[in-house]
Amino acid sequence: MSPCTHTHRANGRPVEGEGWCKGAKTLRVTFYSDGGTILFDRTYPATFAPGGLTVSGAIGTKYGQPGMLGLLGQPLTSEHGTYDGVGSWQQFQYGYIYWHPDTGAHEIHGAILDRWADEGWSQSSPGYPVTDEYGVGTAGDREQEFQAGWLLWYASTATTTMFWK
């Protein structure tokens, strides 16, 4: 597995995407059903520009904000509902936008996304994102607020820590 390949799980089963990394030559996306059946499996070149995928509604509004295209890249999926049936998400080349009626639409990417995915995505203890990722301090650290706390990525150690509200 390359350092840019990640398998994300929710409730012990793989669910959303394998791998994304700026500068990677390819991106592999695999979706599984609850029973582990592969529903979709495709490898894209890093320059992949999908045709026919729309980004609309609150997720489209977020994606249309300045800097989002450069941060997230092109859409890789259509919008999907979350497991709780309340929110929705859409995957892009370098991250996701998640929406919930109580928190709005927020991007999530990089090491904070990886930690949140390890926790269980939108069904995790942290819950849905409440903010986009933002810089904190002067050392290059990054943070993102969730319904139940914050994930903080430390640039000096490349580690991500959860802080609870």
Side-chain angles (χ1 to χ4, degrees), residues 48-87:
F48 172 68
L53 291 175
T54 60
V55 185
S56 59
I59 289 177
T61 299
K62 170 56 78 177
Y63 186 64
Q65 291 178 349
M68 285 293 128
L69 176 61
L71 178 68
L72 296 174
Q74 298 292 323
L76 295 180
T77 68
S78 300
E79 186 173 322
H80 296 276
T82 54
Y83 284 111
D84 63 7
V86 177

Short mmCIF file of all heavy atoms in Angstrom, two decimals, residues 48-87:
data_model
loop_
_atom_site.label_atom_id
_atom_site.label_comp_id
_atom_site.label_asym_id
_atom_site.label_seq_id
_atom_site.Cartn_x
_atom_site.Cartn_y
_atom_site.Cartn_z
N PHE A 48 -8.01 13.23 -13.41
CA PHE A 48 -9.37 12.85 -13.73
C PHE A 48 -10.33 14.02 -13.59
O PHE A 48 -10.35 14.71 -12.59
CB PHE A 48 -9.81 11.72 -12.79
CG PHE A 48 -11.27 11.37 -12.90
CD1 PHE A 48 -11.76 10.78 -14.05
CD2 PHE A 48 -12.14 11.66 -11.89
CE1 PHE A 48 -13.09 10.44 -14.16
CE2 PHE A 48 -13.48 11.33 -11.98
CZ PHE A 48 -13.95 10.72 -13.13
N ALA A 49 -11.12 14.27 -14.62
CA ALA A 49 -12.17 15.29 -14.57
C ALA A 49 -13.46 14.60 -15.00
O ALA A 49 -13.73 14.47 -16.19
CB ALA A 49 -11.83 16.45 -15.49
N PRO A 50 -14.24 14.11 -14.05
CA PRO A 50 -15.42 13.32 -14.40
C PRO A 50 -16.46 14.14 -15.14
O PRO A 50 -16.62 15.33 -14.89
CB PRO A 50 -15.94 12.85 -13.05
CG PRO A 50 -15.43 13.84 -12.07
CD PRO A 50 -14.12 14.32 -12.62
N GLY A 51 -17.12 13.51 -16.06
CA GLY A 51 -18.20 14.17 -16.76
C GLY A 51 -19.52 13.73 -16.16
O GLY A 51 -19.68 12.61 -15.71
N GLY A 52 -20.47 14.61 -16.13
CA GLY A 52 -21.81 14.26 -15.70
C GLY A 52 -22.05 14.25 -14.22
O GLY A 52 -23.17 14.02 -13.79
N LEU A 53 -21.05 14.47 -13.37
CA LEU A 53 -21.28 14.52 -11.93
C LEU A 53 -21.65 15.94 -11.54
O LEU A 53 -20.96 16.89 -11.89
CB LEU A 53 -20.04 14.08 -11.16
CG LEU A 53 -19.68 12.61 -11.27
CD1 LEU A 53 -18.37 12.33 -10.55
CD2 LEU A 53 -20.78 11.73 -10.71
N THR A 54 -22.74 16.07 -10.82
CA THR A 54 -23.18 17.39 -10.40
C THR A 54 -22.87 17.61 -8.93
O THR A 54 -22.78 16.66 -8.15
CB THR A 54 -24.69 17.57 -10.62
OG1 THR A 54 -25.39 16.59 -9.86
CG2 THR A 54 -25.05 17.43 -12.09
N VAL A 55 -22.67 18.85 -8.59
CA VAL A 55 -22.50 19.26 -7.21
C VAL A 55 -23.55 20.34 -6.99
O VAL A 55 -23.47 21.41 -7.58
CB VAL A 55 -21.08 19.81 -6.95
CG1 VAL A 55 -20.89 20.11 -5.47
CG2 VAL A 55 -20.03 18.83 -7.43
N SER A 56 -24.56 20.05 -6.17
CA SER A 56 -25.68 20.97 -6.06
C SER A 56 -26.12 21.12 -4.61
O SER A 56 -25.55 20.52 -3.71
CB SER A 56 -26.85 20.47 -6.92
OG SER A 56 -27.25 19.18 -6.50
N GLY A 57 -27.15 21.93 -4.40
CA GLY A 57 -27.69 22.15 -3.06
C GLY A 57 -26.67 22.80 -2.14
O GLY A 57 -25.81 23.56 -2.58
N ALA A 58 -26.76 22.48 -0.85
CA ALA A 58 -25.85 23.07 0.14
C ALA A 58 -24.41 22.64 -0.11
O ALA A 58 -23.47 23.43 0.07
CB ALA A 58 -26.28 22.68 1.55
N ILE A 59 -24.21 21.41 -0.56
CA ILE A 59 -22.86 20.94 -0.88
C ILE A 59 -22.32 21.72 -2.08
O ILE A 59 -21.16 22.14 -2.09
CB ILE A 59 -22.84 19.42 -1.11
CG1 ILE A 59 -23.04 18.71 0.24
CG2 ILE A 59 -21.54 18.97 -1.77
CD1 ILE A 59 -23.12 17.20 0.16
N GLY A 60 -23.16 21.96 -3.07
CA GLY A 60 -22.75 22.75 -4.23
C GLY A 60 -22.42 24.19 -3.87
O GLY A 60 -21.47 24.77 -4.39
N THR A 61 -23.17 24.75 -2.96
CA THR A 61 -22.89 26.11 -2.50
C THR A 61 -21.54 26.17 -1.82
O THR A 61 -20.73 27.07 -2.06
CB THR A 61 -24.01 26.60 -1.55
OG1 THR A 61 -25.25 26.60 -2.27
CG2 THR A 61 -23.72 27.99 -1.03
N LYS A 62 -21.26 25.19 -0.95
CA LYS A 62 -19.95 25.13 -0.27
C LYS A 62 -18.83 24.94 -1.30
O LYS A 62 -17.82 25.62 -1.26
CB LYS A 62 -19.95 23.99 0.76
CG LYS A 62 -18.59 23.66 1.36
CD LYS A 62 -17.89 24.82 2.01
CE LYS A 62 -18.43 25.15 3.36
NZ LYS A 62 -17.69 26.25 4.00
N TYR A 63 -19.03 24.01 -2.24
CA TYR A 63 -18.02 23.72 -3.25
C TYR A 63 -17.75 24.95 -4.13
O TYR A 63 -16.63 25.14 -4.61
CB TYR A 63 -18.47 22.54 -4.10
CG TYR A 63 -17.46 22.04 -5.10
CD1 TYR A 63 -16.25 21.50 -4.69
CD2 TYR A 63 -17.73 22.08 -6.46
CE1 TYR A 63 -15.33 21.02 -5.60
CE2 TYR A 63 -16.83 21.60 -7.39
CZ TYR A 63 -15.63 21.08 -6.95
OH TYR A 63 -14.71 20.60 -7.86
N GLY A 64 -18.75 25.80 -4.32
CA GLY A 64 -18.61 26.99 -5.13
C GLY A 64 -17.89 28.14 -4.44
O GLY A 64 -17.58 29.15 -5.08
N GLN A 65 -17.60 28.02 -3.16
CA GLN A 65 -16.89 29.07 -2.44
C GLN A 65 -15.45 29.17 -2.93
O GLN A 65 -14.86 28.17 -3.35
CB GLN A 65 -16.91 28.82 -0.93
CG GLN A 65 -18.27 28.98 -0.32
CD GLN A 65 -18.27 28.68 1.17
OE1 GLN A 65 -17.31 28.17 1.75
NE2 GLN A 65 -19.39 28.97 1.81
N PRO A 66 -14.87 30.37 -2.89
CA PRO A 66 -13.48 30.54 -3.35
C PRO A 66 -12.53 29.56 -2.66
O PRO A 66 -12.59 29.38 -1.45
CB PRO A 66 -13.16 31.98 -2.97
CG PRO A 66 -14.49 32.66 -2.90
CD PRO A 66 -15.46 31.61 -2.43
N GLY A 67 -11.69 28.92 -3.45
CA GLY A 67 -10.66 28.02 -2.93
C GLY A 67 -11.07 26.57 -2.81
O GLY A 67 -10.20 25.70 -2.65
N MET A 68 -12.36 26.25 -2.85
CA MET A 68 -12.79 24.87 -2.66
C MET A 68 -12.35 23.96 -3.80
O MET A 68 -11.93 22.83 -3.56
CB MET A 68 -14.31 24.78 -2.47
CG MET A 68 -14.80 25.22 -1.14
SD MET A 68 -14.26 24.14 0.20
CE MET A 68 -13.57 25.35 1.30
N LEU A 69 -12.44 24.40 -5.04
CA LEU A 69 -12.02 23.57 -6.16
C LEU A 69 -10.55 23.22 -6.03
O LEU A 69 -10.16 22.06 -6.19
CB LEU A 69 -12.29 24.26 -7.50
CG LEU A 69 -11.79 23.52 -8.73
CD1 LEU A 69 -12.45 22.16 -8.87
CD2 LEU A 69 -12.06 24.36 -9.99
N GLY A 70 -9.71 24.20 -5.68
CA GLY A 70 -8.28 23.93 -5.51
C GLY A 70 -7.98 23.03 -4.33
O GLY A 70 -7.08 22.21 -4.37
N LEU A 71 -8.76 23.16 -3.27
CA LEU A 71 -8.56 22.35 -2.07
C LEU A 71 -9.04 20.93 -2.26
O LEU A 71 -8.35 19.97 -1.89
CB LEU A 71 -9.31 22.98 -0.89
CG LEU A 71 -9.24 22.23 0.44
CD1 LEU A 71 -7.82 22.27 1.00
CD2 LEU A 71 -10.23 22.83 1.42
N LEU A 72 -10.22 20.75 -2.83
CA LEU A 72 -10.86 19.44 -2.90
C LEU A 72 -10.71 18.75 -4.25
O LEU A 72 -10.86 17.53 -4.33
CB LEU A 72 -12.35 19.55 -2.56
CG LEU A 72 -12.66 20.00 -1.14
CD1 LEU A 72 -14.16 20.20 -0.98
CD2 LEU A 72 -12.12 19.02 -0.13
N GLY A 73 -10.46 19.49 -5.32
CA GLY A 73 -10.38 18.90 -6.65
C GLY A 73 -11.77 18.64 -7.23
O GLY A 73 -12.77 19.18 -6.76
N GLN A 74 -11.81 17.78 -8.22
CA GLN A 74 -13.05 17.48 -8.93
C GLN A 74 -13.91 16.47 -8.16
O GLN A 74 -13.39 15.66 -7.40
CB GLN A 74 -12.71 16.88 -10.31
CG GLN A 74 -11.95 17.81 -11.22
CD GLN A 74 -12.79 18.99 -11.65
OE1 GLN A 74 -13.99 18.87 -11.88
NE2 GLN A 74 -12.17 20.15 -11.75
N PRO A 75 -15.23 16.49 -8.39
CA PRO A 75 -16.10 15.50 -7.74
C PRO A 75 -15.84 14.10 -8.28
O PRO A 75 -15.61 13.92 -9.47
CB PRO A 75 -17.51 15.97 -8.08
CG PRO A 75 -17.37 16.82 -9.29
CD PRO A 75 -15.99 17.41 -9.23
N LEU A 76 -15.86 13.12 -7.39
CA LEU A 76 -15.68 11.72 -7.77
C LEU A 76 -16.97 10.93 -7.67
O LEU A 76 -17.08 9.85 -8.23
CB LEU A 76 -14.62 11.05 -6.89
CG LEU A 76 -13.21 11.58 -7.02
CD1 LEU A 76 -12.28 10.82 -6.08
CD2 LEU A 76 -12.72 11.48 -8.44
N THR A 77 -17.92 11.44 -6.89
CA THR A 77 -19.19 10.75 -6.71
C THR A 77 -20.32 11.78 -6.79
O THR A 77 -20.09 12.98 -6.72
CB THR A 77 -19.29 10.08 -5.32
OG1 THR A 77 -19.35 11.09 -4.32
CG2 THR A 77 -18.14 9.12 -5.08
N SER A 78 -21.51 11.28 -6.89
CA SER A 78 -22.69 12.11 -6.69
C SER A 78 -22.89 12.27 -5.19
O SER A 78 -22.22 11.63 -4.39
CB SER A 78 -23.91 11.43 -7.31
OG SER A 78 -23.73 11.24 -8.68
N GLU A 79 -23.86 13.08 -4.80
CA GLU A 79 -24.18 13.24 -3.39
C GLU A 79 -24.87 11.97 -2.87
O GLU A 79 -25.68 11.37 -3.56
CB GLU A 79 -25.10 14.44 -3.22
CG GLU A 79 -25.39 14.79 -1.78
CD GLU A 79 -26.17 16.08 -1.65
OE1 GLU A 79 -25.91 17.03 -2.42
OE2 GLU A 79 -27.04 16.14 -0.77
N HIS A 80 -24.51 11.56 -1.65
CA HIS A 80 -25.08 10.38 -1.01
C HIS A 80 -25.58 10.74 0.38
O HIS A 80 -25.03 11.60 1.04
CB HIS A 80 -24.03 9.27 -0.87
CG HIS A 80 -23.53 8.75 -2.16
ND1 HIS A 80 -24.18 7.77 -2.86
CD2 HIS A 80 -22.43 9.07 -2.89
CE1 HIS A 80 -23.51 7.51 -3.98
NE2 HIS A 80 -22.44 8.28 -4.01
N GLY A 81 -26.59 10.02 0.85
CA GLY A 81 -27.07 10.17 2.21
C GLY A 81 -26.16 9.46 3.19
O GLY A 81 -25.52 8.45 2.84
N THR A 82 -26.10 9.95 4.41
CA THR A 82 -25.31 9.30 5.45
C THR A 82 -26.11 8.15 6.07
O THR A 82 -27.32 8.04 5.86
CB THR A 82 -24.91 10.31 6.55
OG1 THR A 82 -26.10 10.95 7.02
CG2 THR A 82 -23.94 11.35 6.01
N TYR A 83 -25.43 7.30 6.85
CA TYR A 83 -26.07 6.13 7.44
C TYR A 83 -27.22 6.48 8.37
O TYR A 83 -28.15 5.71 8.52
CB TYR A 83 -25.05 5.27 8.20
CG TYR A 83 -24.19 4.46 7.28
CD1 TYR A 83 -22.84 4.75 7.13
CD2 TYR A 83 -24.72 3.41 6.54
CE1 TYR A 83 -22.05 4.01 6.28
CE2 TYR A 83 -23.93 2.67 5.68
CZ TYR A 83 -22.60 2.98 5.56
OH TYR A 83 -21.82 2.25 4.72
N ASP A 84 -27.17 7.66 9.01
CA ASP A 84 -28.25 8.02 9.91
C ASP A 84 -29.47 8.57 9.17
O ASP A 84 -30.50 8.82 9.78
CB ASP A 84 -27.77 9.02 10.97
CG ASP A 84 -27.30 10.35 10.38
OD1 ASP A 84 -27.45 10.59 9.17
OD2 ASP A 84 -26.78 11.15 11.17
N GLY A 85 -29.35 8.74 7.86
CA GLY A 85 -30.46 9.23 7.06
C GLY A 85 -30.74 10.71 7.22
O GLY A 85 -31.72 11.22 6.67
N VAL A 86 -29.90 11.42 7.94
CA VAL A 86 -30.12 12.84 8.20
C VAL A 86 -29.25 13.72 7.32
O VAL A 86 -29.72 14.70 6.75
CB VAL A 86 -29.86 13.17 9.69
CG1 VAL A 86 -30.02 14.65 9.97
CG2 VAL A 86 -30.78 12.35 10.59
N GLY A 87 -27.98 13.38 7.20
CA GLY A 87 -27.03 14.21 6.46
C GLY A 87 -26.75 13.67 5.08
O GLY A 87 -27.37 12.71 4.61
#
